Amino acid sequence: MKRTALIALTVLLAAACGKEIVPDNTVSDGTVTLQAGFVQDETKVNVSDAGTLTWKANDQIAVWTSNGSDGKFVTFTLSSGAGESSASFTGTPDAGYSPSAIAVYPAEAAKSFAGDVLTVNYPDTYNYNEGAENVRMAAWFDNASAGLQFDHLGGMIRFTIDNIPASANSFKLVSTKTVAGDFAIGASKYAEAADGESAVTISFDAGSITSGPGTFNVPVPVGEGFSFTAGLYKDGTAIEKTIRTTTKDISRKDYLQMKTYTVSDIWYVKPDGTGHGSSWADATSLEKALASAEDGETIKMAAGSYSASSIPELYSDDKLTTPVTTEEWKVFVITSNVTI
């Protein structure tokens, strides 16, 4: 895997476009077969570390079908072409309906199509997968002879994290702009940040990513000045030292790859630390480090005077008959087998 600084990758698919992509209008027992490829100069649905761009087995697209006065989306499933840049999809429209206007990848992203305005959904929760198949794409029937040529509706940002703590069970991307929800796609043919959710979570089983780095691919809409805060979580609580931030503009077709970072087993602490604890420059407080450190980890403390600022939960009102409120009960509590 390339370990590079944040870069934008634009992959040319000249080879993919060497073959004309044309729908197969042959209908057999109500089943329709469509050919699908990609607009030239596009990044692709399933992006490997080596830059290989292919359809994958079991891919599905939502195809708009119409009977002239009414329309609906029908799911088409990949029937051939897995591992290739062009593939066949088959589906069965209702009697009297035929494919028209638009198709959406993946199928579950399609919400509605009315008055030439497509609405697609960017979820706020995904299950972990090292591929990038969550990217949102659409193919317009602008030119019948061109067939289904899929084009990106937004961008994608990839975070690669090594040495993931065994207790972590989710990755979260939090933004200052909307990154999840329903987006209306008009003549511009791209999804632009609007009202919706500002965080995306990718879930996985604790301890399941141990053989190497984890890759977290998040599709994002178009917009300027996104401030992203990303990191690992344990049961919804941030693992402080894994948190990283970046600010980027997102253009359609962008594939932004963050520099790979390794989660250290060392916490860095200063008396006035307000960071996440990943380095001296990002030093955190002793209380945060003690609350988050796991067995076998190390806490490095800079010289200085440390004072506890809160009463531990151990002494909270629901644990004692008489509430504890006095200053002498503000103490540091060690709950893990750590080296200080």
Side-chain angles (χ1 to χ4, degrees):
M1 177 177 295
K2 294 183 179 179
R3 297 171 182 260
T4 58
L6 184 62
I7 56 175
L9 302 180
T10 301
V11 183
L12 302 181
L13 288 187
C17 297
K19 177 182 177 182
E20 187 180 45
I21 307 301
V22 181
D24 181 352
N25 294 319
T26 302
V27 178
S28 175
D29 298 326
T31 298
V32 177
T33 299
L34 299 173
Q35 298 297 313
F38 307 98
V39 174
Q40 191 169 358
D41 298 347
E42 287 296 284
T43 54
K44 173 56 188 72
V45 183
N46 193 39
V47 185
S48 74
D49 294 337
T52 303
L53 311 176
T54 61
W55 292 105
K56 62 180 178 56
N58 301 317
D59 265 341
Q60 291 185 319
I61 59 176
V63 178
W64 184 253
T65 63
S66 173
N67 66 359
S69 60
D70 186 27
K72 62 184 70 176
F73 279 111
V74 173
T75 298
F76 279 56
T77 301
L78 186 141
S79 54
S80 66
E84 304 293 335
S85 55
S86 63
S88 297
F89 287 81
T90 58
T92 307
D94 289 349
Y97 287 75
S98 59
S100 67
I102 198 166
V104 178
Y105 178 90
E108 62 268 21
K111 296 290 291 186
S112 64
F113 183 65
D116 294 329
V117 175
L118 168 69
T119 300
V120 296
N121 179 260
Y122 279 61
D124 60 4
T125 303
Y126 297 93
N127 291 322
Y128 178 77
N129 190 301
E130 291 188 354
E133 66 273 13
N134 295 323
V135 67
R136 270 44 189 157
M137 304 180 79
W140 280 262
F141 286 82
D142 291 334
N143 183 343
S145 65
L148 296 182
Q149 297 193 66
F150 280 84
D151 204 358
H152 283 259
L153 300 176
M156 174 165 286
I157 186 166
R158 167 186 266 191
F159 293 83
T160 305
I161 307 175
D162 202 1
N163 195 32
I164 293 177
S167 64
N169 56 15
S170 67
F171 167 89
K172 181 181 286 188
L173 178 73
V174 181
S175 174
T176 52
K177 291 180 177 289
T178 302
V179 290
D182 292 342
F183 293 82
I185 315 297
S188 62
K189 297 185 179 180
Y190 64 78
E192 188 172 15
D195 292 335
E197 300 296 326
S198 59
V200 175
T201 299
I202 299 177
S203 300
F204 54 93
D205 293 333
S208 63
I209 308 176
T210 57
S211 59
T215 57
F216 302 92
N217 299 286
V218 182
V220 286
V222 171
E224 297 181 353
F226 281 89
S227 180
F228 294 116
T229 298
L232 300 173
Y233 285 67
K234 173 185 177 181
D235 299 330
T237 299
I239 299 176
E240 286 288 335
K241 63 181 176 179
T242 71
I243 304 298
R244 300 292 188 275
T245 60
T246 186
T247 299
K248 285 297 297 180
D249 295 338
I250 303 295
S251 299
R252 192 167 64 87
K253 308 181 186 181
D254 275 352
Y255 179 59
L256 307 177
Q257 183 163 304
M258 294 295 297
K259 180 179 180 181
T260 299
Y261 65 89
T262 298
V263 180
S264 171
D265 58 1
I266 298 174
W267 292 82
Y268 295 88
V269 168
K270 291 182 179 179
D272 58 350
T274 58
H276 301 296
S278 60
S279 64
W280 285 123
D282 189 38
T284 189
S285 67
L286 180 57
E287 282 181 315
K288 279 190 176 182
L290 288 171
S292 302
E294 300 183 7
D295 289 348
E297 295 188 328
T298 297
I299 296 175
K300 289 191 174 183
M301 298 173 61
S305 177
Y306 293 82
S307 299
S309 61
S310 61
I311 299 172
E313 185 181 355
L314 176 66
Y315 303 134
S316 61
D317 295 354
D318 62 342
K319 302 292 192 304
L320 299 174
T321 302
T322 303
V324 172
T325 58
T326 54
E327 288 293 315
E328 62 265 26
W329 289 99
K330 292 182 178 180
V331 296
F332 295 110
V333 176
I334 301 175
T335 59
S336 301
N337 182 17
V338 297
T339 299
I340 299 178

